[in-house]
Amino acid sequence: MTYGPGFGFSLIGVLYPVFFVVVAALAITLGVLLIRTLLWVIRALSAVTRERELRIDLLLADDGPAGPARPSASSTDDGPGGPAV
């Protein structure tokens, strides 16, 4: 029995499906790596943002009250209307 062209084993017929399987596997791997990297970046940015918020809170807490200073009880200034009667 002799086999001519078009019969039996074809290298091209095997390479095409193998090529597409390899390309699909690479595409899926790259997609998963991209999604994992994006999630890592989002988590890192959230941590940096939270750290900045905490630093701002600490800086504001060190400054004292954030409004006008209250007059003390021993103040001699009676205000714009004069002494209370």
Side-chain angles (χ1 to χ4, degrees):
M1 275 178 121
T2 60
Y3 296 104
F7 295 103
F9 179 75
S10 171
L11 186 61
I12 301 296
V14 172
L15 287 181
Y16 274 126
V18 169
F19 172 75
F20 287 118
V21 167
V22 168
V23 169
L26 285 174
I28 291 171
T29 302
L30 287 176
V32 168
L33 288 175
L34 178 66
I35 290 171
R36 288 183 60 140
T37 302
L38 287 174
L39 290 173
W40 177 79
V41 167
I42 290 170
R43 189 177 344 158
L45 287 174
S46 296
V48 168
T49 303
R50 182 66 183 143
E51 181 183 355
R52 286 184 182 173
E53 289 173 354
L54 290 173
R55 284 187 183 186
I56 290 170
D57 287 344
L58 284 174
L59 288 173
L60 291 176
D62 289 344
D63 287 344
R70 295 182 187 169
S72 64
S74 65
S75 175
T76 58
D77 182 19
D78 294 323
V85 180

